[in-house]
Amino acid sequence: MSERIIDVWMQHPNLEFSNHEMFASLRRWNKTDILTEAIPLDWTLAAMDQAGIDKSLACAWSSPNGYLISNEEVADIVQKAPDRFVGVAGANLAKPMEAVRELRKWVSEYGFKALRIVQWVWNLPPTDPLYYPLYAECVNLGVPICLQVGHTGPLRPSETGRPIPYIDQIALDFPELQIVGGHVGYPWTTEMIAVATKHENVFIDTSAYSANRFPPELVEFMKSNGRKKVMFGTNYPMITPEKCLRDLDSLGMDEESRALFLSGNAERVFKL
């Protein structure tokens, strides 16, 4: 594949993250065991190369019990391969002002391009007041907030991933905030499409789904009025870039829609 491809949701995991109990269901689906060694960075780069991925947005993971992948770890891989990785910050919701200062540091001093909060880790919907100082700071810094939409594959409640009312409400409260909903929103994909259509500042990424599993309504959206609204993502290492892209040709996208999906929308929204 000669076209430019940007993966907007992946993580280079440490051993604690890979083996965490909440991912037991994913290990069962993928038929993988508990790891004894962390995945080397060279493996991650090789997986990107196999699928022709130019850049990956690597994210930190915060949780009520501390960071599963720290901002420092993300900065380290960006430093090691600055032409391949872009940093996406995490933040401690429990300490809002500390979180705002941390986000400001990682964006202003280290060039991180977004904030990601995975709501089900906190079991707090994205309309909870603890998020709002961070949303305001994202607007000030000019970076998107990346959230999870849809049910949770990991063994945690799914309620926090509903597009309606949650994504709809924060888009109303923060019309200047760029909001990216990862994991397509299934089984509420139609809701997610409706919210992305309603709000200029709401986008969808396809992380955690291979092309042959995209819901039909999402494919139609990508090929029509939603061609500037949907971005490619993997959720590596849960799924490899090669597997995500294997059946892309079967979707019948035209050249413009395909280019926007694979890189153009990400370049615009994340200012890459």
Side-chain angles (χ1 to χ4, degrees), residues 8-11 57-62 88-91 114-118 144-148 180 182 205 207 270:
V8 302
W9 183 331
M10 59 81 69
Q11 41 273 311
L57 275 66
C59 62
W61 276 65
S62 57
V88 175
L115 170 67
R116 172 162 286 121
I117 301 290
V118 182
I145 177 70
C146 301
L147 300 167
Q148 176 269 339
V180 181
D205 86 50
S207 54
F270 293 96

Side-chain angles (χ1 to χ4, degrees), residues 124-142:
L124 290 173
T127 51
D128 189 277
L130 288 176
Y131 292 83
Y132 276 47
L134 287 163
Y135 296 158
E137 187 60 22
C138 283
V139 172
N140 286 334
L141 293 167

Side-chain angles (χ1 to χ4, degrees), residues 37-203:
E37 295 182 8
I39 295 174
L41 185 59
D42 285 348
W43 286 23
T44 296
L45 288 166
M48 292 167 59
D49 290 340
Q50 183 184 19
I53 305 296
D54 292 274
K55 279 187 182 294
S56 293
L57 275 66
C59 62
W61 276 65
S62 57
S63 84
N65 298 316
Y67 276 87
L68 300 175
I69 300 174
S70 70
N71 290 313
E72 288 81 2
E73 288 173 293
V74 172
D76 181 60
I77 71 162
V78 172
Q79 184 179 36
K80 288 176 178 174
D83 56 331
R84 306 301 302 279
F85 294 109
V86 175
V88 175
N92 181 2
L93 286 181
K95 296 183 177 179
M97 285 311 303
E98 177 183 304
V100 166
R101 294 184 189 106
E102 282 286 293
L103 174 61
R104 190 178 301 150
K105 178 183 83 170
W106 291 106
V107 172
S108 300
E109 298 179 24
Y110 290 86
F112 282 27
K113 292 293 187 179
L115 170 67
R116 172 162 286 121
I117 301 290
V118 182
Q119 308 98 280
W120 56 258
V121 174
W122 295 87
N123 201 22
L124 290 173
T127 51
D128 189 277
L130 288 176
Y131 292 83
Y132 276 47
L134 287 163
Y135 296 158
E137 187 60 22
C138 283
V139 172
N140 286 334
L141 293 167
V143 298
I145 177 70
C146 301
L147 300 167
Q148 176 269 339
V149 292
H151 79 104
T152 62
L155 300 175
R156 292 292 187 273
S158 296
E159 172 64 23
T160 61
R162 285 184 175 272
I164 297 175
Y166 304 125
I167 304 300
D168 188 36
Q169 186 62 57
I170 63 175
L172 290 168
D173 291 344
F174 292 89
E176 298 172 67
L177 176 65
Q178 304 277 73
I179 302 164
V180 181
H183 301 1
V184 312
Y186 180 84
W188 308 297
T189 308
T190 303
E191 285 187 15
M192 190 62 229
I193 291 169
V195 174
T197 302
K198 176 180 177 179
H199 299 285
E200 286 186 339
N201 57 325
V202 174
F203 304 88

Side-chain angles (χ1 to χ4, degrees), residues 15-28:
L15 195 59
E16 177 189 7
F17 183 90
S18 295
N19 291 339
H20 201 284
E21 54 84 16
M22 65 185 175
F23 298 130
S25 58
L26 303 184
R27 290 192 291 271
R28 184 176 73 248

